[in-house]
Amino acid sequence: MTGKVRIASGAVATIAAKAAASSDGFETGGILLGFEASWLGEVLVLEAGGPGPNAERRRDFFCRDLGHAQRLANDAFLRTTARWIGEWHTHPYGPLAPSRKDLRTYRRFLRDPELGFKSFIAVIVGSNDGEWKKPRAAAWLIGLRRVLPALLLPGLDRLDIVLENSPIDGRDDDR
């Protein structure tokens, strides 16, 4: 069974723009903000953050700027009640799969009762034949005991609702 991660176009645009920094050969990334499971049975990513000015970037390692990430999470929660559900980061070299180091980090988050994760969403981004203009991405649902690939889906960026006049007991109630 494959999980589904629905990601809003604004989050995709942020990830694509920030991932381009990995053209220098160093990893970068940021947080994912949204909802773990929606009524659609899918993870919903509304926003993605960048690394922040004090992030640590290395060839095989990325550590986000915690203060920057916290401000993004606080702002998103006030706007939409979205919360931190995962992270995205680049792999300038190698596969678009979580490394052992990545999995240790994610499982440490899952074990921390103050963070309250039930699962952790990881989106890993890589170049497209060395080009970062249109990067490739893979999503993963991380649990304490398993790692599942996830299908990335386009986001629900707007909801169109048509309200019908529904008479109650055969009457229009315009009072």
Side-chain angles (χ1 to χ4, degrees):
M1 184 169 134
T2 301
K4 295 177 182 174
V5 176
R6 190 167 294 275
I7 186 165
S9 61
V12 171
T14 297
I15 291 169
K18 301 295 184 185
S22 281
S23 63
D24 66 4
F26 295 135
E27 289 190 5
T28 192
I31 62 173
L32 299 173
L33 301 158
F35 303 96
E36 283 185 277
S38 70
W39 57 273
L40 298 171
E42 302 166 347
V43 172
L44 178 59
V45 177
L46 293 178
E47 298 179 40
N54 297 316
E56 185 179 349
R57 298 178 60 228
R58 290 192 243 152
R59 192 172 161 85
D60 65 344
F61 176 78
F62 163 75
C63 185
R64 68 194 147 17
D65 176 339
L66 185 58
H68 175 75
Q70 188 64 59
R71 283 187 296 280
L72 293 174
N74 291 345
D75 291 348
F77 185 80
L78 289 174
R79 277 193 318 280
T80 64
T81 70
R83 62 184 209 89
W84 179 32
I85 58 170
E87 295 188 344
W88 71 272
H89 75 277
T90 58
H91 278 183
Y93 312 98
L96 301 183
S99 67
R100 287 183 186 199
K101 188 184 296 185
D102 294 335
L103 291 174
R104 277 193 306 272
T105 300
Y106 302 150
R107 288 184 171 134
R108 191 173 64 244
F109 294 156
L110 286 163
R111 286 185 186 100
D112 186 334
E114 288 186 29
L115 296 176
F117 284 112
K118 294 177 187 147
S119 62
F120 195 82
I121 310 310
V123 174
I124 300 178
V125 181
S127 71
N128 197 350
D129 292 328
E131 293 292 322
W132 288 92
K133 290 178 187 163
K134 286 189 175 184
R136 301 172 302 122
W140 301 87
L141 302 176
I142 313 296
L144 282 173
R145 295 190 179 8
R146 62 183 182 175
V147 177
L148 297 173
L151 180 63
L152 279 171
L153 300 169
L156 299 171
D157 290 308
R158 87 172 191 230
L159 184 62
D160 290 326
I161 300 175
V162 176
L163 299 175
E164 301 268 336
N165 241 349
S166 300
I168 299 173
D169 295 334
R171 301 177 284 130
D172 266 341
D173 196 3
D174 289 335
R175 296 178 241 167

